[in-house]
Amino acid sequence: MNMKKLTFIIWGFIIKIGMLYLFLAPGQAFQNENRKPNVIIIYTDDQGTIDANCFGAKDLYTPNIDELAETGVRFTQFYAAAPVCSPSRAALLTGKTPLAAGLPGNASSQKGGKGLPAEQVTIAEKLKEHGYFTGHVGKWHLGYTPETMPNGQGFDYSFGHMGGCIDNYSHFFYWNGPNKHDLWENSEEVWMDGEYFQDLMSDKANSFLEQNKDTSFFLYYAINLPHYPLQGTDKWREHYKDMESPRDKYAAAVSTVDERIGELLAKLESLHLRDNTIIIFQSDHGHSVEDRTFGGGGSSGIYRGAKFSLFEGGIRVPAIISYPTALPQKVVRDQLCVNVDWFPTILDLADISYKEDTYEGKSIKNVITENTPTAHDVFWWYSGKDRWAVRKGDWKLLKNPRDPTQKTAIAESDSLFLVNILDHPRELENSAQQYPEKVKELQKEYNAWYAKQK
């Protein structure tokens, strides 16, 4: 074959490849552009109100949480719908207050224990209807029966523990006896003795991304730290060795979590998925001061209260949303928002239709993108028949409040505790006697809401 003919053949091949690129690549690009965004919710456990560098902590190293804030929207007045684990998670996954969702208190950590009612529609079920592959990695604590475990609540894949907490190495539930093993993958008990649960979660989460990179996916990544036991890695215990106890143990747990978040972000980048992935980061409620966590370690900053409390320190949580291709970056929003809002907000961002009255949560898409006022004129917290709170505007009324941090004593006259959050964010002084009409107004708001839940 002469050179002229060979050159002609080569150029013909190059032209054909070019034509294929012109006709197929745009089609591929069009397909990718119209693929619904992936969604990842990173839900940490017992992380305090200000416990990340970007939320005000000066003694913690959290570069990956900070990176989410740099590439997204950080909230300063974001709330969990409950001050304890299970109700907060039920609210997140249903878009309803825990009372409306049917799980106002913690679910059992024992096999056979009931949890979130199976008839409730979770965000996993809703997204699955629209072509999403759904996964859960980490803590569950929303039921320990086949119909209430993750695979029965809309998750195609699940790996983690069903109860409230486990030892990160043996994977046994140690809260009370008898000690029971608690590690599951797709409703099957699995034994991985001695393997560090934080690493197992990271590996499973990254494998989930790898296996579903070509389809829209939803991952509920429920990290079980800095909840007790405070088992950060040697690296971070060494890093914080000069810090006072118990902050040192808590800090090591927080930075261990942050490092695993970094692994997830790196995997998204390597798979070229970051631009089409909505990442939501939030703590489930305030930090713990229980004996099991050495009496503290976390911080609510200026705010009163902690886990189990309806004071700000128990329910005001760190929260971020990052979706760089569609949402603002390096932005702070001060409006009142609640974790029940994530469900309808995700549906809005994914262009999935829904009936607004299905949820007590409100889409905060416009708050995020246009800085509109809060979507909630009123919001309510139920923590038992005789312990609740209601917020209307800047006014907040608490019934029989509790303060595990004991910043000040709670008197008998504080059974109804009124505060203007804007003027007195520390919640140290009760204004109920000064504004009796405001107390009546907020009581009426709460009673009207509570009557609808029966």
Side-chain angles (χ1 to χ4, degrees):
M1 182 182 298
N2 60 41
M3 287 299 297
K4 185 176 181 180
K5 186 172 182 180
L6 180 59
T7 301
F8 180 81
I9 292 173
I10 292 172
W11 273 108
F13 180 76
I14 291 172
I15 291 170
K16 287 181 179 179
I17 293 297
M19 293 298 289
L20 283 171
Y21 176 80
L22 287 172
F23 285 101
L24 294 182
Q28 182 68 39
F30 180 79
Q31 183 181 25
N32 290 338
E33 288 175 4
N34 284 272
R35 173 176 152 181
K36 291 190 180 300
N38 308 310
V39 180
I40 298 175
I41 297 178
I42 302 170
Y43 218 57
T44 60
D45 201 356
D46 288 16
Q47 185 171 354
T49 309
I50 70 161
D51 281 328
N53 190 266
C54 58
F55 282 95
K58 303 301 182 185
D59 57 349
L60 299 180
Y61 185 68
T62 56
N64 297 295
I65 296 173
D66 301 343
E67 173 64 18
L68 290 176
E70 281 291 301
T71 59
V73 178
R74 179 173 65 85
F75 298 88
T76 66
Q77 199 174 180
F78 201 99
Y79 293 89
V84 288
C85 295
S86 298
S88 170
R89 294 159 198 274
L92 170 77
L93 294 182
T94 65
K96 301 177 181 178
T97 57
L99 193 59
L103 191 61
N106 270 341
S108 171
S109 292
Q110 304 298 331
K111 291 180 184 177
K114 296 180 180 180
L116 180 66
E119 61 267 21
Q120 292 291 337
V121 177
T122 69
I123 190 169
E125 290 170 309
K126 183 69 173 179
L127 292 178
K128 191 173 178 178
E129 290 176 2
H130 292 270
Y132 279 76
F133 194 84
T134 58
H136 153 261
V137 171
K139 176 174 175 173
W140 182 242
H141 205 191
L142 285 168
Y144 217 147
T145 63
E147 63 272 15
T148 61
M149 289 167 71
N151 294 135
Q153 296 280 26
F155 289 93
D156 297 304
Y157 173 80
S158 172
F159 172 82
H161 62 95
M162 298 299 106
C165 59
I166 58 169
D167 175 82
N168 284 279
Y169 295 93
S170 70
H171 317 133
F172 271 67
F173 176 74
Y174 278 134
W175 198 331
N176 50 32
N179 300 331
K180 293 185 178 181
H181 179 262
D182 184 6
L183 188 61
W184 301 78
E185 188 165 27
N186 290 331
S187 300
E188 296 292 331
E189 189 172 12
V190 293
W191 296 78
M192 299 179 178
D193 310 47
E195 296 186 60
Y196 187 46
F197 187 60
Q198 305 305 310
D199 290 338
L200 289 173
M201 280 193 297
S202 183
D203 291 344
K204 296 295 184 180
N206 285 350
S207 294
F208 179 87
L209 301 185
E210 180 77 47
Q211 294 168 11
N212 296 288
K213 61 181 182 292
D214 296 323
T215 187
S216 295
F217 61 76
F218 166 57
L219 175 62
Y220 172 42
Y221 191 12
I223 300 174
N224 66 323
L225 286 180
H227 191 289
Y228 49 80
L230 293 176
Q231 296 171 316
T233 60
D234 288 345
K235 170 184 174 180
W236 293 112
R237 287 199 298 271
E238 176 66 20
H239 181 86
Y240 293 111
K241 65 181 180 180
D242 296 326
M243 186 178 284
E244 290 187 3
S245 180
R247 182 69 169 173
D248 58 340
K249 302 170 185 64
Y250 177 88
V254 170
S255 288
T256 296
V257 168
D258 182 85
E259 192 171 44
R260 300 314 181 276
I261 292 173
E263 292 170 3
L264 186 79
L265 295 178
K267 187 64 173 180
L268 286 170
E269 292 287 356
S270 71
L271 295 173
H272 307 290
L273 295 174
R274 182 68 177 92
D275 287 346
N276 195 43
T277 301
I278 300 165
I279 300 177
I280 291 167
F281 166 86
Q282 189 204 310
S283 173
D284 63 344
H285 47 67
H287 68 288
S288 170
V289 295
E290 298 165 84
D291 288 343
R292 300 182 185 94
T293 193
F294 303 96
S299 177
S300 57
I302 68 169
Y303 303 109
R304 184 179 187 179
K307 180 180 179 180
F308 301 115
S309 174
L310 293 176
F311 283 121
E312 295 291 284
I315 53 177
R316 187 184 289 226
V317 295
I320 300 167
I321 185 170
S322 177
Y323 184 21
T325 56
L327 299 180
Q329 299 186 54
K330 298 183 181 180
V331 164
V332 176
R333 295 288 184 252
D334 301 317
Q335 295 90 325
L336 182 154
C337 302
V338 191
N339 68 337
V340 292
D341 299 334
W342 288 131
F343 197 151
T345 302
I346 289 167
L347 297 182
D348 266 357
L349 293 174
D351 198 24
I352 295 173
S353 62
Y354 62 95
K355 294 181 179 179
E356 292 185 8
D357 60 3
T358 302
Y359 312 106
E360 287 176 293
K362 307 292 184 182
S363 174
I364 56 173
K365 180 181 177 181
N366 290 338
V367 171
I368 294 166
T369 58
E370 301 174 25
N371 202 23
T372 57
T374 178
H376 294 283
D377 296 327
V378 184
F379 197 79
W380 324 264
W381 289 266
Y382 174 92
S383 195
K385 184 177 180 181
D386 294 319
R387 181 167 283 122
W388 48 262
V390 59
R391 171 85 183 262
K392 183 177 183 180
D394 293 325
W395 289 96
K396 178 181 173 185
L397 180 68
L398 298 91
K399 174 68 173 177
N400 293 323
R402 61 187 297 190
D403 178 13
T405 59
Q406 300 181 344
K407 286 191 175 181
T408 61
I410 296 177
E412 288 187 16
S413 58
D414 291 334
S415 61
L416 284 170
F417 194 100
L418 180 70
V419 63
N420 185 295
I421 292 297
L422 182 64
D423 296 336
H424 301 285
R426 297 174 185 268
E427 295 180 295
L428 297 178
E429 297 179 5
N430 186 359
S431 299
Q433 292 185 359
Q434 188 177 357
Y435 299 100
E437 292 305 314
K438 183 60 68 174
V439 171
K440 291 179 181 178
E441 177 187 346
L442 294 182
Q443 277 184 302
K444 184 177 180 180
E445 291 282 3
Y446 178 83
N447 290 335
W449 169 78
Y450 181 74
K452 294 178 182 178
Q453 310 307 312
K454 295 180 180 180

